[in-house]
Amino acid sequence: MDNLGISLVTIIIIAANVIISFKGFDDRGFFEKYKFNVGSIKRGEHVRMLSSGFLHADTTHLLFNMFTLYFFADAVVAGLGNFHFIIIYFGSLIFGNLLSLYFHQNEYWYSAIGASGAVTGILYSAILLQPDMSLYMFFIPIPIPGYVFGIGYLLYSIYGMKNKIGNIGHDAHFGGAVGGYVVTLLLMPSLFKTNLGYVGLLAIPIIILFVLYKTGKLK
């Protein structure tokens, strides 16, 4: 498995996403039953908090999330192991959906799907473990330091939440990133010693979100 450059746990999670997503593509009833929906969750259908993370809108949505997971998963597996990787993945998924539920609690019609929250949590865990990693973007010809990308992405997510940009669950992305950040630090508190500066920098957007919400500027 090491020769393939991808861990078994990553393959299993990608396979689960593919199988469940394609089931949703072909079966609209299944899709509607397991997507994230505020009204349904408030009526007690809590399984949607997990199941929605394995459904996708289309193959492009699915491929984008799985490719992102593929590129960052093994950095987390290498740093923390398979079991902790799973904790971070599902912790980020749940945290992202909890933040969405909180921000949309009075919008009973609000629905969402996708592994983006979980995947973003893995991405941020990888950045926290290897903050000096370089990321390449299609439209930027030079490598971007991981911590710069992390801060920029969270700031963009706040902007997207505030201005309701596109048909994108910015709050789930932000929540997933925070989930990955918090759970990784809980699992590896030594990062406060080895990477304290980066831990502090990556906390800045979280503090900004909290301040904006408390001052009513995000509502």
Side-chain angles (χ1 to χ4, degrees), residues 87-97 117-118 120-122 172 175-177 179-180 183:
I87 291 175
I88 293 169
Y89 186 89
F90 284 99
S92 300
L93 170 59
I94 293 171
F95 203 96
N97 279 339
T120 305
I122 293 298
V183 176

Side-chain angles (χ1 to χ4, degrees), residues 162 208-219:
K162 184 175 175 59
I208 291 174
L209 178 70
F210 178 77
V211 171
L212 287 175
Y213 184 78
K214 294 302 286 185
T215 56
K217 294 180 180 179
L218 199 64
K219 300 177 183 179

Side-chain angles (χ1 to χ4, degrees), residues 11-87:
I11 292 174
I12 291 172
I13 287 179
I14 290 176
N17 271 279
V18 170
I19 292 169
I20 295 172
S21 290
F22 272 87
K23 170 66 174 176
F25 296 158
D26 295 334
D27 186 340
R28 193 66 190 180
F30 178 86
F31 184 90
E32 293 295 327
K33 182 177 180 180
Y34 292 109
K35 71 180 183 181
F36 178 95
N37 175 263
V38 172
S40 298
I41 292 169
K42 284 199 162 189
R43 287 193 296 271
E45 297 178 26
H46 298 135
V47 68
R48 293 173 182 261
M49 296 288 286
L50 281 175
S51 61
S52 59
F54 290 87
L55 293 169
H56 289 82
D58 50 41
T59 53
T60 300
H61 186 205
L62 173 64
L63 286 172
F64 180 82
N65 276 336
M66 294 304 100
F67 272 119
T68 304
L69 179 62
Y70 168 79
F71 284 120
F72 293 98
D74 281 357
V76 180
V77 172
L80 293 171
N82 289 325
F83 182 67
H84 286 167
F85 169 85
I86 293 171
I87 291 175

Side-chain angles (χ1 to χ4, degrees), residues 79-80 84 128-129 182-192 194:
L80 293 171
H84 286 167
L128 198 55
L129 292 167
V182 171
V183 176
T184 299
L185 289 174
L186 289 174
L187 294 174
M188 189 177 250
S190 61
L191 289 170
F192 283 108
T194 59

